[in-house]
Amino acid sequence: MAADTDNALGAFDYVIVGAGSAGCVLANRLSADPDVSVLLLEAGGRDNYFWIHVPIGYLYTMNNPRTDWCFQTEAEDGLNGRALAYPRGRVLGGCSSINGMIYMRGQARDYDQWRQLGNAGWSWDDVLPYFRRSEDYSHGADDLHGAGGEWRVEEMRLSWEILDAFRAAAAEVGIPNTDDFNRGNNEGCGYFQVNQKRGVRWSTATAFLKPVRDRRNLTVLTRAQAKRITFDGRRASGVEIALKGADRHVTARREVILASGAVGSPQLLQLSGVGPGALLRDVGLPVVRDLKGVGENLQDHLQIRLAYKVRNTHTLNERANSLIGKLGMGLEYFLFRRGPLTMAPSQLGAFARSDPSRETPNLEYHVQPLSLEKFGEPLHPFPAFTASVCNLRPESRGSIRIKSPDPLAPPAIRPNYLSAPADRRVAADAIKLTRAICAAPAMARFRPEEFKPGSEYESDSELAKAAGDVGTTIFHPVGTAKMGDDGMAVVDARLKVHGLDGLRVVDASVMPTITSGNTNAPVIMIAEKAADMIREDRRS
C-alpha cells in the first residue's frame, strides 16, 4: 500500500475508527465484499496480553494503561463529591476485551421505545434478527436465539452456595427464577450467560476480527490514534492519525465510520469541529457543523454496592487470600478451564421492579460471592458477598465535553449520577428491596450482616445519600450521539450524522435511551444492522 504524499497512507472505501465491540463486527461484515476496501484503526495495541483471555483477568485489564484508557469522571455531586474511574477498552476488541462478559440484550420495550421516538427500523421485532445472526447459543437455535454465529454464549462454569441462597431468597420476596434473561422480558433471578468459549473470554476481536484478518481488502492498524476527521466541504473525506510518532492521513472514498464508543466518538466529533458551537469556539476550534447534541444525553447505570458479611459458608474472599486457595484456583483453571478464574465479575443476576407500578423490571442486580473496597484492591479478609443493584432507566443525564483541542487530552466526563429526584427515589427503594431479600428465610442460616452502606441508614434521604457513598459505574455509558430527528439528535435512523455526508456513528453513543441491562450485546446488534444499512446505501 503506497502513500500518495509524504504523510498519506492511501485511500479506502471505509475507514472505521475504533476496533472495539462495534468496529470488529463492522470490519468483518463490510470486508466480506471483495469489491470494497476497509481500514480499521485502533488507538490501542494487539490483544496478546495473557489476562485479556482469562475471564478473571478483568481485574488486571481495567485501570491498566495497556488495555484501558483509564478515564476519570469529574467530581460528582450525586456521589457526594467523589470522582470515579471510568474504564474504556484501549485494545483490539475494545470493551469486549476487558468487560464482564455478560450476554444481555435488554427488554423488548427498550427497542420499541426507540421506534416510538421516531427511529424507524429499530423496534424489537426489527432488531431481533440481528441479535440472532451473530449468536452462537450453547443450547442451540430457537425462535429467539441463534446458533452457528460468531458470538459464543455459554452458561457459567461454577456456582456458589451463597448465590444459590440469594436466588431462593429472591423468589421468596416475589422475584421468580429464570434460566434465560434474553427473551424480551428479563424479569427473574438466575445465573448470567456469558461470552466465553470453554472457560476463555470471547471478545469481538477473537470472534469477528481474527477469522478475517487475512482478507486482502482489510487493513488493521494498531497504535493508530485518530486526531480528527477531515472534511471536503460537508463531506467527511478521511481521518488524520498519529502513527509511530508521525502524523498521517487516510482518505475515505465512501464513509468514515466512528465506532469509538460513548466517550471516544463524541470526543472525536468535537475535535473535528462537529458539536456544540459554543464549546468548540471556547476551546479554539473552527465549527464545521453546529450540533448541540454531540456529547450530551450521557446515560449510565450506577450500581449501588451493598456488601454483607456472612457465616456458615465459603466465599471467594477466603480462597483469594490464601496461598493454597490461589494455587488451587490456578490448577483448576489450567487443567479443566473451570473454577473462579472463569468468573465474570458478577455471576448471579436479578431483574425486579423497585415498586409495583413499574410496567417491567427497572432494577438489575449483579451479585458476587466476594467483597472489596473497589476493583483493583484486595478482597476483604472475611467471608462476604456483594449485591450490586442499578436503576436500569435513570432520568439523570450527563455529558462528554473536550477541554482542549489536544486529541490526547481526556475529555470532561460528567454522568450527573442521582441528579434527578426520581433516581434518588429508585436508589432508596433498591436498597430496601435488597434488605428484604437478605432478610428472607432462605438467607437466615448465613446470618447476613450489612456493612456497606450500613444498616444505620434508614430514611429515604439517608438511603439516597448512602447510595452516593457506595455507588459506582457498571460501565454502561451510552447516548452521547443519539439517534433521532429532534434538536438534540446527532444521527438519523440510518446512523448518518445530521447535515454531513460520508460520516456515520456506530456504537453505544447512538442509543437514544439506555437499554435495560448490560450494553455489549446491543452494541454488536447495532453494528450488525449498521453493516446492512451501509451495504444497502452503497448499492443505491
Side-chain angles (χ1 to χ4, degrees):
M1 181 176 58
D4 341 85
T5 65
D6 287 345
N7 73 334
L9 282 172
F12 301 82
D13 290 305
Y14 300 105
V15 177
I16 304 167
V17 183
S21 296
C24 289
V25 176
L26 288 167
N28 179 302
R29 300 306 190 224
L30 295 179
S31 66
D33 182 347
D35 294 331
V36 303
S37 58
V38 178
L39 173 64
L40 180 62
L41 300 172
E42 171 54 45
R46 296 170 56 202
D47 62 334
N48 55 357
Y49 182 40
F50 171 79
W51 285 113
I52 289 174
H53 306 287
V54 178
I56 199 71
Y58 64 87
L59 292 171
Y60 307 101
T61 56
M62 289 186 182
N63 303 313
N64 178 346
R66 177 172 180 169
T67 48
D68 181 5
W69 282 99
C70 299
F71 290 130
Q72 292 272 334
T73 71
E74 303 297 296
E76 289 275 294
D77 289 344
L79 303 185
N80 305 320
R82 291 187 300 128
L84 299 179
Y86 216 65
R88 297 285 86 198
R90 188 172 185 257
V91 65
L92 288 178
C95 289
S96 75
S97 289
I98 70 170
N99 71 0
M101 297 161 285
I102 292 171
Y103 183 73
M104 185 66 60
R105 297 171 175 176
Q107 297 173 7
R109 73 174 295 282
D110 301 331
Y111 305 100
D112 290 341
Q113 183 183 27
W114 292 5
R115 175 63 186 88
Q116 290 160 9
L117 290 170
N119 297 296
W122 290 93
S123 71
W124 172 251
D125 289 341
D126 293 320
V127 303
L128 180 58
Y130 292 104
F131 281 114
R132 296 183 73 246
R133 172 188 289 179
S134 56
E135 188 179 12
D136 185 18
Y137 190 53
S138 61
H139 299 294
D142 61 22
D143 57 337
L144 289 169
H145 287 287
E150 294 88 350
W151 197 230
R152 183 67 175 171
V153 180
E154 295 187 352
E155 302 293 340
M156 291 275 184
R157 298 172 73 84
L158 76 168
S159 61
W160 296 82
E161 182 182 45
I162 192 64
L163 300 188
D164 293 338
F166 189 97
R167 189 183 191 198
E172 290 173 338
V173 301
I175 306 169
N177 287 346
T178 186
D179 294 319
D180 187 353
F181 289 120
N182 289 296
R183 305 189 72 83
N185 182 343
N186 46 22
E187 186 165 16
C189 185
Y191 281 88
F192 287 122
Q193 292 168 332
V194 291
N195 297 121
Q196 296 180 12
K197 194 162 190 176
R198 294 186 291 275
V200 176
R201 174 190 289 275
W202 204 243
S203 72
T204 56
T206 301
F208 293 93
L209 188 58
K210 286 184 179 177
V212 302
R213 283 291 294 269
D214 292 336
R215 287 177 179 168
R216 297 182 65 181
N217 62 331
L218 173 62
T219 301
V220 181
L221 292 180
T222 56
R223 307 294 181 191
Q225 171 70 55
K227 299 180 68 175
R228 71 180 184 97
I229 305 158
T230 58
F231 291 90
D232 181 2
R234 291 289 183 180
R235 181 171 190 83
S237 59
V239 182
E240 286 187 2
I241 64 174
L243 180 68
K244 296 181 179 178
D247 288 343
R248 311 296 295 272
H249 181 265
V250 294
T251 297
R253 286 187 289 255
R254 294 188 175 275
E255 294 189 21
V256 173
I257 305 168
L258 303 191
S260 299
V263 176
S265 287
Q267 179 187 21
L268 185 58
L269 285 170
Q270 292 170 7
L271 289 167
S272 307
V274 181
L279 169 66
L280 302 181
R281 286 186 285 269
D282 283 348
V283 298
L285 288 171
V287 179
V288 174
R289 174 66 173 160
D290 190 341
L291 281 177
K292 62 183 179 181
V294 174
E296 303 303 303
N297 191 49
L298 174 62
Q299 300 160 58
D300 191 13
H301 289 145
L302 179 74
Q303 61 173 341
I304 303 166
R305 295 177 55 81
L306 285 86
Y308 290 81
K309 296 179 181 179
V310 290
R311 304 181 187 184
N312 305 317
T313 192
H314 297 288
T315 69
L316 186 61
N317 286 12
E318 304 94 280
R319 293 190 70 178
N321 285 304
S322 157
L323 178 58
I324 293 176
K326 289 177 181 176
L327 290 172
M329 289 190 294
L331 286 172
E332 191 175 6
Y333 183 77
F334 289 107
L335 292 176
F336 307 109
R337 291 292 188 265
R338 292 192 174 275
L341 269 66
T342 69
M343 284 173 51
S346 302
Q347 294 80 58
L348 187 76
F351 289 82
R353 294 169 171 84
S354 63
D355 66 73
S357 70
R358 304 285 173 170
E359 175 193 355
T360 62
N362 67 315
L363 298 179
E364 179 181 10
Y365 281 89
H366 293 78
V367 192
Q368 307 145 346
L370 56 87
S371 65
L372 70 171
E373 291 302 311
K374 61 182 179 180
F375 284 114
E377 295 192 3
L379 303 188
H380 290 132
F382 46 77
F385 74 94
T386 302
S388 295
V389 57
C390 70
N391 177 1
L392 289 169
R393 295 188 282 276
E395 294 186 9
S396 301
R397 297 291 183 268
S399 63
I400 306 288
R401 296 171 185 164
I402 57 172
K403 296 185 280 188
S404 84
D406 179 1
L408 297 179
I413 301 173
R414 296 185 176 90
N416 290 332
Y417 296 120
L418 299 175
S419 58
D423 293 352
R424 295 194 292 273
R425 286 194 298 273
V426 171
D429 289 341
I431 294 174
K432 293 175 188 176
L433 178 58
T434 310
R435 288 174 172 175
I437 295 170
C438 292
M443 293 290 286
R445 78 180 185 91
F446 305 108
R447 299 165 65 183
E449 177 188 345
E450 179 185 323
F451 69 97
K452 282 186 177 297
S455 57
E456 65 271 21
Y457 300 100
E458 295 183 352
S459 70
D460 284 0
S461 60
E462 289 174 336
L463 293 176
K465 183 179 185 302
D469 288 333
V470 299
T472 186
T473 177
I474 204 161
F475 323 122
H476 298 163
V478 309
T480 49
K482 79 168 188 172
M483 172 172 43
D485 56 10
D486 61 89
M488 293 299 290
V490 176
V491 300
D492 63 18
R494 297 186 74 78
L495 308 186
K496 296 179 179 181
V497 175
H498 286 298
L500 297 171
D501 296 321
L503 181 60
R504 285 187 219 238
V505 183
V506 182
D507 55 36
S509 63
V510 304
M511 296 185 190
T513 54
I514 195 166
T515 53
S516 300
N518 310 70
T519 52
N520 195 62
V523 168
I524 291 170
M525 175 277 292
I526 289 169
E528 286 277 24
K529 183 171 171 60
D532 269 7
M533 293 190 292
I534 293 165
R535 287 191 293 256
E536 289 166 4
D537 289 348
R538 175 175 174 263
R539 292 192 293 266
S540 63

